[in-house]
Each structure stands twice: as structure tokens, then as C-alpha cells.
Amino acid sequence: MTTQSQEMTDGFHLVIDALKLNGIDTIFTLPGIPITDLARMAQAEGMRVISFRHEQNAGNAAAIAGFLTQKPGICLTVSAPGFLNGLTALSNATTNCFPMILMSGSSEREIVDLQQGEYEEMDQLAIARPLCKAAFRVLYAEDIGVGIARAIRAAVSGRPGGVYLDLPARLFGQTMSAQAGKQSLIKVVDPAPRQIPAPDAVQRALTLLKGARRPLILLGKGAAYARADADIRALVEKTGIPYLPMSMAKGLLPDTHEQSAAAARSYVLAEADVVVLVGARLNWLLSHGKGKTWGGKDARAWGGQKFVQIDISPQEMDSNVAIDAPLVGDIGSCVSALLSAINSTAGSSWVKPPAEWTSAIAERKNKNLAKMAEALARNPTPMNFHSALAVVRDVIKANPEAILVNEGANALDFTRSIVDMYRPRKRLDVGTWGIMGIGMGFSIAAAVVTGKPVIAIEGDSAFGFSGMEVETICRYNLPICVVVMNNNGVYRGTDVNPSGGADVAPTVFVKGARYDMLMEAFGGAGVHVTTPAELHRAMDAAIVSGRPTLINAVIDETAGTESGRITSLNPQSAKK
Ligand code: FYN
Ligand code: ADP
Ligand code: MG
């Protein structure tokens, strides 16, 4: 009997073996029917299994682990409700081009399909399909190897994204001979193949760039993901072209770099004549490449600039405005091809952009930097976003290896422009959707996969979406310092109920809430601060100790603005 069972394997083990064979060593999960034993056995087999309090946070963790490692992050959930909780994260990952695999257990197919009222009945595959890059189901143990190989390839090849893998409960117990099982597994060869750009496309881009008088390079999170850091820096420095980082591309070059045009954003977008997009899309965050932001005559008019777009997805081209020089391929290959072309055809004769352009940018930039320095130097009572974030800026400067997670409205927008980043992939935020709820999931995964300290700057509203995961942070004793920017509400804490009723206004929370005590409840360090000096001490202590810490930073409740810097997207009634 024993010898026979040693020769057998089952669905549980084949899933784990297939993941391990492909170098995947971590699972983000919340155990329950039918995947409890899968989580246990994965841990027994040496995988890191991080167990959360809500699947959406496990899903966000998997997504950002994918972004940080270029391997698909794995989120494992139970059926129907657990699956749905993970689905928001899967969909967000797909929108942001983060590679992840949501693996969910599912209930008995024949009952689900006849809608006979199964436990957690749901046609999960059909629901997931339109919300992710690819969706697969495995019915037989011998197909687990193929299923996982397909999921990995779909997640990381081409434009990365989210993949759903449906694992029916009955699959896990299926047995087969251990040897046949082993042979059924696939070690994926070259899961994210390089995509070399066509030489004529490189020449077209170079010709356009050479004719530019006011060129601009725009770096997006695709550029951060691609890990072509040295070549991207060389491209910027060799050409002398000013660059603008999208929020998660901050730090690809240090924000203090003299060619950074971040503090002259409005000026460069409106004035540039040739713009090179590197892993950034012309979506809402870039005003769709048109309108007044881009020097267009009215809200819908195109500006006069020409675009080079480097992207792995050919379909991204012309999505909003005409792309004059599409450069399709992986960013590493495209940037390196562009660099070689610059070096060989232009050689030492590469002409840097006219001083007229760079000095006009410097002038705008210095004006904004001076204005900012003034705002940061004030020390009002109560503390406001600026005085608190001046501290965060100094702490990041002293700890450039720390990862900054950031969500909220004002807490997001002020942090983005105040806190300089110095290293690639250190700033993780709400991304393409402006989603709230990524905070603790991103923080936990960042700490787990990088081992670096994490600082999460959270609006008090944003924190609420994933706040229960402070227990998870304590349970795994992670070096995460959460700073809750507590201004008593969404945007501000000052709204009043216009009807005069007893309920508070919909944007207002409990005044003077003590989020620090939430962390203390699970054995972490909770600190309540009301001044920049106290905040600085608490953050330094958190970094030195590496202990889970939550700092409740009391911010002037009148300090925020409606929707931060995107007020224009929040319709307001004209009827008062
Ligand atoms: C930038 N700026 C600076 C600096 N960096 N000034 C001084 N010092 C520094 N370091 C200037 C910059 O030139 C701009 O001024 C201004 O500050 C704002 O710059 P920012 O933040 O880079 O750009 P902006 O205009 O806010 O960009 C638009 C955006 C951004 C859509 C890309 O707002 C964004 O990423 N938003 C995400 C919002 C979101 O998802 N929210 C979650 C939902 S909240 P000028 O050049 O003078 O214009 C729900 O309510
Ligand atoms: P941001 O929000 O910072 O502007 P986006 O997420 O909108 O960035 O854009 C990222 C772009 O990068 C996407 O269009 C995606 O196809 C592209 N991309 C992601 N990874 C790579 C890669 N390795 N090579 C080329 N393009 C990539
Ligand atoms: Mg708030």
C-alpha cells in the first residue's frame, strides 16, 4: 500500500509541482473550500504561502508581485464569492499590464451548468473571461501541466496581464502515477520572448527625433516593468532630451536628475514638438494625447506634436491620436536598437536639443520647485499634507531602497509631486484605474518579494479598503510602516449634512479616529502624531526597528481639495 501511494500523485501536488518547476515560489491566498489543502501542501512543499483576510488584498498582492518580479503573481481563492473578491484585483492587474494568475477553486460543473443550486454555484470561467487577458479551466489532472504553462505564457508574454485559471474541486483529488504526472508537467521555455523591433521602424523613429526642436521622452510604468534601466538612462543622457516620468516610472532616473521635466509638466506637454512614449499609454492620465494639455486649440483638438511610441502591443498605436513612428517590440530591445542607431548613424554628431528648449523648461521647473520649497517650509498647526509629506520626502531620501506605496486622493496627488524617488520600481500606486484598496496588498507583497522596507502613504479613506490586513502584516512580521493621513474624511473632514439630520455627511468619518490602535491590537507599533517632528521620529523608528508600524498622522481636516488634482472628473451640480 505504502509503495503504491509513493508512486502516485494527485491534482494538489501536480499544481504545486507545476508552479515550482516554473520558478514560482510564492502564493497569495485566503484558504477555504476547496483549496485549503492546496495552500497547506504548497507550504509543506517549500513555497511561501501568504494568507490574507480578504481575497481582493491577496489579489492586489499577486498583481504587484508580478510587476516587481516579471513572474506571474499567484492569487489562490475559494469559489464564487472568494473568486469574485479576487476578480477586482485580476481586472485591475490586466488594466495595468501586471502579470498575475488568479487560481480559483470551483464547484461541481455538472450541477453548476444545470443551475441545480450547488454550494457556491457560479460559472466562474465565463465571468472572468471578459475581465482578463485569458481564462482557462483544467478538468483532468494530466492537463494541469499544460494549464499552468498556458496561464504563465498568457500572463507574461507580449503585453502582460491577468489570467484566470479555473480549478474545479474534483480535480485536486484525481490521482495518476507519479511518473506520468511528472512527464505531464511543462517547464516553460522563454515565457516572455523578446520582440525585436523592425529596423525600418527604428530608422523612422530616429529620423523624426533628429528633426525635433523641442523633443520630450515620456516614461511610463511599462518602462519600469521592462527592467531596461541602464539603456533607458543612456537614451535620456546620450540624447540630452528632457523626460517626464508617469507616476510609477518615477525613480527610473532619480527625480532630482537635471533632465527631469516633472516639475514643468504642463509646459512640456503643451510645447514639445516630438514626444517619445516609452511604455506609457495616451489614456486619461495623459489627457488622451490631445486638448489644451497638449497645446490643442480646444478641449478636443489635437496639438501639433508628433509621436514616437515604444510599446509591445501593436494595437496600442493610434488608440487616441495618430502615432507617426510606432516602434513595436519589447522596451529593452527597442531602446537598445534606438541607442545603437543613434550611436552609429549620428555617432558623436548627435545634436542635443537646443538650449532655448532646455532652458525654457529649466525656468518653469525652477519656478515650480521654488513655489514647492516655500510650501514645504511652512509649519502650520494643525499639520497639513505639505508639512507631513516634507517629512516623508526626507525619509525616502535617506532610505532610497525603501518602497513607497501610495493611495488616496490628496494623499496620492501631493505625495506624487512632493516625494522624490531615486531608484526604479520603488513607487507603487493606484495606477491606470486610480483604484482605492491596493494599499496593504501592495505593501505586503512588496515586503515579501523584495525584503526591503515599505512605507505606505495612505489617505484615511483609502486605508479603510484594506485596513484589516494590518493583522496580516503583524502575523508575518513585515517591515511595513503605514502612515495614515488622517483628515477625518474623503477629500476633507468638514462636510456637513445639508438636511440638518443626525447622520454625518457622506464624505465624513469618525473625528479623531485612532488608526494606530488598530495596529496595536495585533502587536505592532501604533503611533499617534500631530507634528512633523513627531512624524519624523516615528518613521525613523519604524525603519530602524523593521517592526510593523502604523502612524496615525493628524492632518488639518480642511486641508484637502475635492478629488485631489482630478476635480474636473467629478461632476458637480450647478443647481445649488
Ligand atoms: C511636479 N510638479 C512639481 C513637482 N513635481 N512642482 C514642484 N516640485 C516637484 N517636485 C508640478 C507639475 O509641474 C505640475 O504643475 C503640478 O506639480 C502637478 O504635477 P503632477 O502631479 O505630476 O501632475 P498632474 O497635473 O496632477 O497630472 C495629471 C495626472 C495626475 C492625471 C497624471 O493627476 C495623476 O496621476 N492622477 C492620478 C489621480 C488618481 O488616480 N486618483 C485616485 C482617485 S481619487 P504644472 O506644470 O504647473 O501644471 C478620487 O477622488
Ligand atoms: P503609465 O500608466 O505609467 O503611463 P501604462 O500602464 O499606461 O503606463 O502603459 C504601459 C505600457 O507599457 C502598455 O501599453 C504596455 O503594453 C507596455 N509594456 C509593458 N511592458 C512592456 C515591455 N516589456 N515592453 C514594451 N512595452 C511594454
Ligand atoms: Mg482623508
Side-chain angles (χ1 to χ4, degrees):
M1 237 10 236
T2 346
T3 45
Q4 200 200 356
S5 69
Q6 272 168 359
E7 288 164 8
M8 300 299 282
T9 188
D10 62 14
F12 287 112
H13 288 92
L14 288 166
V15 170
I16 295 161
D17 291 346
L19 292 173
K20 285 174 66 180
L21 183 65
N22 285 288
I24 293 172
D25 54 13
T26 307
I27 292 179
F28 303 97
T29 188
L30 198 164
I33 297 171
I35 52 90
T36 320
D37 249 8
L38 185 59
R40 280 196 192 107
M41 289 175 191
Q43 189 174 52
E45 299 291 330
M47 294 187 80
R48 189 97 199 261
V49 179
I50 306 292
S51 191
F52 286 72
R53 305 303 296 263
H54 190 288
E55 292 90 349
Q56 191 175 123
N57 306 319
N60 286 324
I64 211 67
F67 173 76
L68 290 168
T69 64
Q70 293 185 323
K71 281 188 224 165
I74 306 293
C75 174
L76 176 65
T77 80
V78 304
S79 29
F83 155 77
L84 285 174
N85 287 343
L87 197 54
T88 302
L90 184 71
S91 193
N92 186 56
T94 307
T95 301
N96 281 282
C97 317
F98 299 154
M100 79 172 270
I101 301 172
L102 174 67
M103 303 196 315
S104 296
S106 59
S107 306
E108 297 311 336
R109 285 249 49 82
E110 51 272 42
I111 306 181
V112 171
D113 288 350
L114 279 171
Q115 298 184 17
Q116 293 176 307
E118 181 57 300
Y119 167 75
E120 296 197 343
E121 177 178 293
M122 177 170 277
D123 187 358
Q124 296 170 196
L125 187 68
I127 290 165
R129 185 157 277 142
L131 297 172
C132 60
K133 190 177 166 191
F136 305 103
R137 175 187 291 136
V138 181
L139 288 177
Y140 300 109
E142 67 247 41
D143 293 330
I144 286 173
V146 169
I148 293 208
R150 300 212 70 189
I152 291 172
R153 279 197 188 279
V156 299
S157 65
R159 171 182 280 178
V163 176
Y164 176 61
L165 188 60
D166 195 75
L167 303 176
R170 202 175 283 165
L171 175 72
F172 298 115
Q174 287 177 27
T175 55
M176 63 190 289
S177 99
Q179 201 200 350
K182 195 168 177 198
Q183 279 168 358
S184 73
L185 300 185
I186 296 174
K187 184 167 167 51
V188 178
V189 176
D190 196 12
R194 285 195 302 156
Q195 297 191 21
I196 315 291
D200 56 327
V202 176
Q203 279 312 316
R204 192 185 295 121
L206 187 60
T207 305
L208 189 56
L209 204 51
K210 274 193 199 157
R213 303 279 305 154
R214 297 183 305 281
L216 175 69
I217 293 174
L218 224 157
L219 303 174
K221 61 173 140 23
Y225 175 77
R227 292 184 174 260
D229 308 342
D231 274 355
I232 287 172
R233 186 168 186 147
L235 179 72
V236 169
E237 291 182 342
K238 166 83 197 180
T239 60
I241 299 176
Y243 74 95
L244 185 67
M246 297 300 288
S247 67
M248 282 179 59
K250 279 165 74 75
L252 212 43
L253 287 87
D255 278 336
T256 47
H257 196 285
E258 65 161 345
Q259 285 172 254
S260 169
R265 186 180 197 271
S266 296
Y267 180 74
V268 291
L269 291 184
E271 296 296 325
D273 64 350
V274 176
V275 178
V276 185
L277 298 160
V278 186
R281 288 170 284 185
L282 288 173
N283 55 20
W284 72 279
L285 291 154
L286 285 168
S287 309
H288 305 284
K290 59 192 170 198
K292 293 200 165 152
T293 304
W294 290 88
K297 276 189 235 24
D298 57 56
R300 302 185 65 98
W302 296 11
Q305 62 281 112
K306 304 230 174 259
F307 289 99
V308 175
Q309 183 159 24
I310 301 181
D311 205 289
I312 203 155
S313 167
Q315 292 179 71
E316 187 56 38
M317 307 301 150
D318 305 328
S319 57
N320 285 273
V321 294
I323 300 300
D324 308 276
L327 193 48
V328 175
D330 70 277
I331 287 169
S333 301
C334 290
V335 171
S336 121
L338 204 51
L339 259 177
S340 325
I342 286 168
N343 287 328
S344 63
T345 63
S348 50
S349 69
W350 173 263
V351 185
K352 294 210 168 177
E356 217 177 287
W357 174 232
T358 49
S359 56
I361 295 171
E363 192 189 308
R364 294 323 189 278
K365 177 173 155 177
N366 291 335
K367 216 180 275 172
N368 268 342
L369 290 177
K371 234 196 298 173
M372 179 69 85
E374 210 177 286
L376 295 180
R378 284 184 215 121
N379 190 3
T381 309
M383 183 156 73
N384 64 9
F385 285 102
H386 283 85
S387 56
L389 288 167
V391 171
V392 178
R393 186 188 58 163
D394 291 347
V395 172
I396 291 286
K397 189 174 182 186
N399 300 278
E401 278 301 315
I403 291 175
L404 182 77
V405 172
N406 189 201
E407 62 176 333
N410 292 282
L412 175 88
D413 289 343
F414 285 125
T415 305
R416 184 178 61 248
S417 55
I418 293 172
V419 179
D420 288 332
M421 305 306 297
Y422 300 86
R423 306 273 161 84
R425 295 168 294 281
K426 298 297 183 195
R427 189 187 148 83
L428 310 174
D429 69 24
V430 302
T432 308
W433 263 354
I435 194 172
M436 296 294 114
I438 49 86
M440 298 306 103
F442 276 18
S443 297
I444 290 166
V448 166
V449 305
T450 71
K452 303 273 193 264
V454 175
I455 295 170
I457 304 299
E458 300 274 314
D460 51 344
S461 166
F463 174 70
F465 289 72
S466 66
M468 191 63 203
E469 302 296 345
V470 296
E471 190 275 331
T472 310
I473 294 172
C474 290
R475 191 163 15 107
Y476 294 99
N477 194 25
L478 298 170
I480 297 172
C481 171
V482 182
V483 181
V484 176
M485 298 282 186
N486 188 356
N487 66 349
N488 295 343
V490 180
Y491 310 134
R492 273 184 304 262
T494 49
D495 276 12
V496 288
N497 179 343
S499 78
D503 290 348
V504 297
T507 55
V508 166
F509 297 143
V510 165
K511 304 247 182 205
R514 293 289 302 272
Y515 292 99
D516 49 314
M517 293 169 84
L518 204 54
M519 185 58 106
E520 284 180 343
F522 303 107
V527 194
H528 176 72
V529 306
T530 58
T531 66
E534 287 171 0
L535 176 60
H536 210 148
R537 266 198 301 281
M539 290 187 78
D540 282 348
I543 298 261
V544 169
S545 72
R547 273 186 78 195
T549 300
L550 192 152
I551 303 170
N552 183 53
V554 178
I555 303 291
D556 184 352
E557 66 172 8
T558 67
T561 51
E562 185 88 9
S563 315
R565 282 187 56 85
I566 52 173
T567 311
S568 59
L569 297 179
N570 205 351
Q572 295 203 312
S573 172
K575 189 172 163 228
K576 289 287 174 223

